[in-house]
Amino acid sequence: MGRGEHNGLRGVWWLLIAVVALGGGVATASEMGSALQRERAYRAAPVCASVPVRPSACVWRQTFTVRTADLHRGKRNESPEARLSLPSGKPWRVTFRQTDPVVSELEPGDRVVGLIWHGRVVEVRDARGRRQQTSDGPVGWPEDRLGGALACGSFGLAALVGAVWSLFARDDRRHARAASVVRWHGVGMAVLALPTLWAQSANDWPMWSIPAIWGPLALLVLASMVAFAVAAVRGDLDDEAAPPSARPVPPPPEPAGAPGGTQGPGGGRP
């Protein structure tokens, strides 16, 4: 397989990845509006005047006793969970998106307060006042959706540009290298979204802090991408030429008077 065919297959592969990433980014961004509405509705929900007998838009605080808490660490597709029980003894299973800060500290027999909204426990608070959203909790979903849209969108666009570039210039080594530079810088912009989300969540910053942090970092990566792509097209990133093969060293001249050698003046026999 020639270099052009190899670059063409790689370009097709990256094109498929770019389409999937862009589709994921669009889908994630489309969910952000509904996630925002749900979180605002929860924050504005009134406190229930009495124990709701059916799923209600008001918030009810219910005391639970912890039966078991399983973090499911090391298990794929298994969320941390806690099995709670009402004062009547009725069991209630609650799952979480992460282990900290509450569920990792729960022990059997502990008392926790669960916030019930629309018939589901959306938040759990322990005796020390720490709180944690459950898998059904609406808080934090808009930020996650925004971060996912930024990550998938930036990577998908860069991968698309790099893939199309490599397909149109698959026989040109310099342009193929520039396309690779564009693609991998897209990976860098996507990875930047992870620490940005972590910083926003750990410090409880507002949602606008995500683009405020990620944007300048992404611009730096974008500037680096342009600089390296231009350098690749100019040939500045080409591998250094291989060292020239060693030239054969001629044999040293034979001394005068040696057999087959050239006799100097007076070098003959008398």
Side-chain angles (χ1 to χ4, degrees), residues 206-228:
M207 188 171 65
W208 59 262
S209 64
I210 296 176
I213 298 173
W214 180 85
L217 297 176
L219 287 177
L220 291 176
V221 176
L222 185 62
S224 172
M225 178 183 70
V226 173
F228 275 95

Side-chain angles (χ1 to χ4, degrees), residues 36 39 43 139-144 146-147 192-217:
L36 272 172
E39 180 177 329
R43 294 186 182 278
V139 177
W141 281 108
E143 290 81 357
D144 292 343
L146 177 58
L192 283 176
L194 298 179
T196 302
L197 278 175
W198 177 85
Q200 182 273 332
S201 177
N203 296 280
D204 199 21
W205 290 335
M207 188 171 65
W208 59 262
S209 64
I210 296 176
I213 298 173
W214 180 85
L217 297 176

Side-chain angles (χ1 to χ4, degrees), residues 92-105:
W92 203 311
R93 179 175 174 268
V94 179
T95 60
F96 300 84
R97 285 175 279 175
Q98 55 193 17
T99 59
D100 295 320
V102 176
V103 66
S104 59
E105 302 292 333

